[in-house]
Amino acid sequence: MKAFVTRLMQFAVGSLGAALLNLLTIPVITFFISPEEYGKTSMFMLAQTLLICVIYLGYDQAFAREFYEYPNKKKLFSTAIVVPFLFSGVVIGLMCYFAKSISAFLFGSDMYYHAVYLIAASIPFLIFERFLFLYVRMQNKALEFSLFNIIVKFSILLCTVLFLLFFPHTFITVIYATIIGQVIGDTILMLRNVRILYMSPVKTDPDLYPRLAKFGLPIAAATVIYSMFVVIDKLFIRYFCDFEQLGLYTAAFKIASALLILQTTFSNFWVPTAYAWYKKQKPMHYFKLVSDSIMFLIAILFMGLLLFKGVIMLVLSPEYSQAQYIFPFLCFYPLMMTVSETTNLGIVFLKRSSLNILVSIIALIVSVGLNLLLVPTYGAIGASIATGSAYIAFFLARTYFSMRIWKGFSVKTHMMTTLLLVVAASLNSMIHTVWLISIINVAVLLCIIIIYIPLLRTLYRSYYAKRQQSISHEKGIEA
């Protein structure tokens, strides 16, 4: 248990550091550029998100799945990265050919086509970054993983600050700074792992390609659908509203992403741990205990964001003050993603990755329907409600299909907690009276704590028993 917690804390260092550096970019950018310019910046983020969702073709997930079963790790790495790297050549070619059209779609003008070239040039670096981080993570090299996560994010932040100090305060400056910072950070990571990157046809395993494709390509299909699910809110705001609403929405999304600190930390630690537990045939109550604990912790953080949203808004420019009424529902994104990592284990363990396609389709239908209904009338707030609801649907679908094919565990407390958080998010979007909404938030927080009293008792008893064993052991040594 001690090694378990130590490794989690080591992964947390990098995730926490990277997330804090990422959050620091919000006040920096909003201080220099207007919501309208930030809205254009968010379209660049949208393009990068689409690339990240699609470019790996599911081979990154297949690489993680095979890591503990395939004996030669370097050969597995070389084999898994080949197909995404070849596919990136096709994507880069298409982006360069249609650069002006892409620029007009993203930024409202074709004069920024050079930015599209730069985005295309960064694709190979994104691939190397993803697979190298996976390689380090699956080896449980937590401190190394954390260090390079921080280096990449710090490089982006430093370039953003320097570019905004010496160049015009426009969205294109932020785009150039982000890409150049990313490339610099990834180059440092690649230099550290240059031996792994030395690849040749002899170092790949042709027999492994079918296995990687069988597991990875269904995930890739699901990821394409999921990528549409991720960006559809911004596309609806872009079509029905203006860049200012898009900028406010993006600022709110960044604030909600503070909860990704826990999500990223937990996912980096949980994936290898869950596979190891499954291989050792650990009892089901271990998986349930982790799931309940992570749901409780992230729900507390969710309510903390709502309680202190007025203070949090102080990091933004006054022009972005309306973002505080947009972000409550956006908090469901990291919440539902994190919890679903503990409830979708049946899909992962039984290699039923094709079910991910159905999950993504369900979430996409919910997102499109609600965005179409709410965005034309309510703008960015409507988009946030649609996005939060879609992620709840994503969690429910993932959990349902996993429990159908795997023995699983009860998720009743998850459902009650989610319902309470939906009520809290709704009221925080509608009520602007500070004292009233604060009382409501405290009441919801107390209800959540009451629901999880049995869990807290279990955790305390477990800790107390371990502590007593430790004390007895120490006394035995002294005797």
Side-chain angles (χ1 to χ4, degrees), residues 72-176:
N72 191 328
K73 311 304 181 190
K74 289 185 178 180
K75 183 175 282 191
L76 173 63
F77 179 92
S78 300
T79 306
I81 203 172
V82 166
V83 174
F85 203 78
L86 293 174
F87 180 60
S88 72
V90 177
V91 175
I92 291 169
L94 290 172
M95 287 183 68
C96 292
Y97 185 78
F98 295 104
K100 289 191 175 182
S101 300
I102 294 172
S103 174
F105 172 73
L106 293 177
F107 313 123
S109 172
D110 62 5
M111 65 182 291
Y112 303 110
Y113 63 93
H114 291 101
V116 179
Y117 292 153
L118 197 58
I119 295 170
S122 70
I123 290 176
F125 291 91
L126 292 173
I127 294 173
F128 281 128
E129 178 191 308
R130 173 61 174 163
F131 279 88
L132 285 173
F133 272 134
L134 268 178
Y135 189 88
V136 174
R137 187 184 81 179
M138 297 305 290
Q139 287 185 313
N140 282 318
K141 294 181 178 179
L143 289 177
E144 183 177 338
F145 180 87
S146 296
L147 174 64
F148 283 98
N149 244 314
I150 291 172
I151 287 173
V152 171
K153 296 301 180 184
F154 179 75
S155 177
I156 293 172
L157 176 60
L158 182 62
C159 286
T160 302
V161 172
L162 292 175
F163 274 55
L164 286 172
L165 285 174
F166 296 104
F167 295 101
H169 301 162
T170 62
F171 76 95
I172 201 68
T173 301
V174 177
I175 292 173
Y176 274 66

Side-chain angles (χ1 to χ4, degrees), residues 305-314 324:
L305 281 176
L306 298 189
L307 272 167
F308 298 103
K309 66 178 184 290
V311 177
I312 294 168
M313 284 299 128
L314 295 176
Q324 64 182 302

Side-chain angles (χ1 to χ4, degrees), residues 430-474:
M430 294 186 295
I431 299 173
H432 296 186
T433 307
V434 176
W435 68 267
L436 177 58
I437 198 61
S438 296
I439 292 172
I440 292 171
N441 287 336
V442 170
V444 174
L445 181 60
L446 290 174
C447 289
I448 291 171
I449 292 172
I450 290 169
I451 289 172
Y452 283 93
I453 285 176
L455 170 68
L456 296 173
R457 284 176 178 166
T458 301
L459 292 173
Y460 174 75
R461 287 169 183 166
S462 176
Y463 169 78
Y464 183 76
K466 294 282 185 182
R467 181 63 181 163
Q468 289 298 110
Q469 283 182 349
S470 178
I471 292 171
S472 300
H473 180 68
E474 288 173 4

